[in-house]
Amino acid sequence: PIMKTLDGRAEMELSLAERLGIARVVVVSGDSEQSEDVTRDVGQAAAHVLRTFLHPPCTVAVTGGSSLAMLAELMPQATTPQDVEVVPARGGLGERHELLANTIASQLAARLSGRYRMFHVPESLSRATAERLAQEPTIAEMIDRIRSANLVVHGIGDALTMATRRGLDEETVAHLALRGAVAEAFGYFFDAEGHIVHMMNTVGLKLEDLSGDKMVIGVAGGRAKGPAIEAVAHAYRMDALVTDEGAARAILKKG
Ligand code: BG6
């Protein structure tokens, strides 16, 4: 009998799934670093994966970033209202307006014909102030909604790239380098083994919320993000990862 051999990408998806311990891995062809088209393909594939995970009524928590912005933009328009609420995963994280989680939550909700909730919390609070704020009843209620979301969809960034994009001070950047930070996701910075080395002072989703029955989807492409994706996969369980060949090869090449 003629055995059907897997094509290169399908094989990569299987190898990555096994290596990273993620049940569903989608690898689109090309490298986001080389072409905008690939960034779009990652966003489109991520929108598709999100739809397959979406079972209304449900709450979806999203991060900001360009990968999630693309997902929201390319989500097909739902024609009938859906009982879906989209919320930002955490308060402000120092991004441009179009990349803010609040912005993406509202856009995604519009595509899904669902509802959204905004969450406005200043991003440069002291830890003590952030904790006090979290006790305000309206904020506490919003934090509860976020933390009990059924689905979390998030971007994954290279640690130092994200530190610069968020304007972290020199001292913090030096601390990140010293502790070997390679990845960033929703305001947490991780080393290659997935240990937390730093976190932004904001409120909302916590790392421990990612366990249990939440579905977690990571979206990140581009060769330079390979190490970050791998680090994050050590830090917590993801149910699905949508990436590209550039990142996939970078991870698998490491042996
Ligand atoms: C941020 C998310 O907004 O975007 C992070 O909070 C993520 O989880 C980052 O690391 C990635 O951004 P981009 O633009 O590379 O998709």
Side-chain angles (χ1 to χ4, degrees):
I2 302 166
M3 294 268 287
K4 194 173 176 298
T5 52
L6 291 172
D7 68 32
R9 267 191 305 130
E11 209 169 302
M12 250 187 273
E13 288 172 345
L14 285 178
S15 312
L16 267 190
E18 194 179 337
R19 170 144 180 171
L20 303 178
I22 301 174
R24 173 124 190 241
V25 176
V26 177
V27 176
V28 309
S29 27
D31 185 338
S32 301
E33 262 172 49
Q34 310 291 326
S35 139
E36 267 287 304
D37 291 350
V38 181
T39 311
R40 288 183 76 82
D41 292 346
V42 171
Q44 193 155 41
H48 178 78
V49 169
L50 172 55
R51 275 199 302 167
T52 66
F53 278 75
L54 207 61
H55 301 293
C58 61
T59 301
V60 183
V62 294
T63 65
S66 52
S67 315
L68 266 288
M70 203 53 104
L71 181 162
E73 190 185 320
L74 298 175
M75 178 63 82
Q77 181 63 49
T79 48
T80 53
Q82 298 196 86
D83 195 356
V84 174
E85 184 168 87
V86 190
V87 296
R90 302 194 78 187
L93 279 175
E95 292 270 21
R96 301 204 314 268
H97 172 79
E98 60 274 28
L99 300 184
L100 282 174
N102 271 322
T103 311
I104 291 165
S106 71
Q107 284 170 348
L108 182 61
R111 293 286 186 185
L112 295 172
S113 289
R115 304 175 306 278
Y116 65 88
R117 298 278 298 244
M118 297 269 112
F119 190 37
H120 293 293
V121 182
E123 58 233 28
S124 49
L125 303 173
S126 69
R127 177 117 341 146
T129 308
E131 276 163 18
R132 282 256 304 284
L133 202 64
Q135 284 161 17
E136 282 292 319
T138 55
I139 296 189
E141 194 255 351
M142 189 57 196
I143 293 174
D144 273 351
R145 273 171 191 269
I146 292 171
R147 298 190 65 187
S148 56
N150 311 94
L151 272 140
V152 176
V153 193
H154 70 82
I156 300 165
D158 165 70
L160 295 181
T161 306
M162 291 310 295
T164 312
R165 199 159 107 187
R166 295 204 169 128
L168 298 190
D169 59 60
E170 260 173 51
E171 203 183 317
T172 312
V173 174
H175 166 82
L176 287 175
L178 194 71
R179 301 275 311 267
V182 299
E184 188 274 354
F186 43 86
Y188 286 83
F189 288 83
F190 305 95
D191 68 13
E193 277 87 52
H195 304 122
I196 301 173
V197 296
H198 179 70
M199 55 203 269
M200 309 277 291
N201 279 338
T202 183
V203 289
L205 192 79
K206 295 197 171 160
L207 193 59
E208 66 250 39
D209 301 328
L210 296 182
S211 49
D213 52 8
K214 247 187 234 340
M215 300 304 276
V216 182
I217 306 173
V219 187
R223 198 170 72 91
K225 284 193 181 184
I229 294 169
E230 197 169 15
V232 162
H234 287 304
Y236 52 87
R237 191 209 75 237
M238 277 185 275
D239 298 282
L241 169 72
V242 183
T243 186
D244 62 20
E245 253 182 281
R249 286 191 199 285
I251 297 169
L252 294 171
K253 220 175 37 208
K254 274 182 49 204

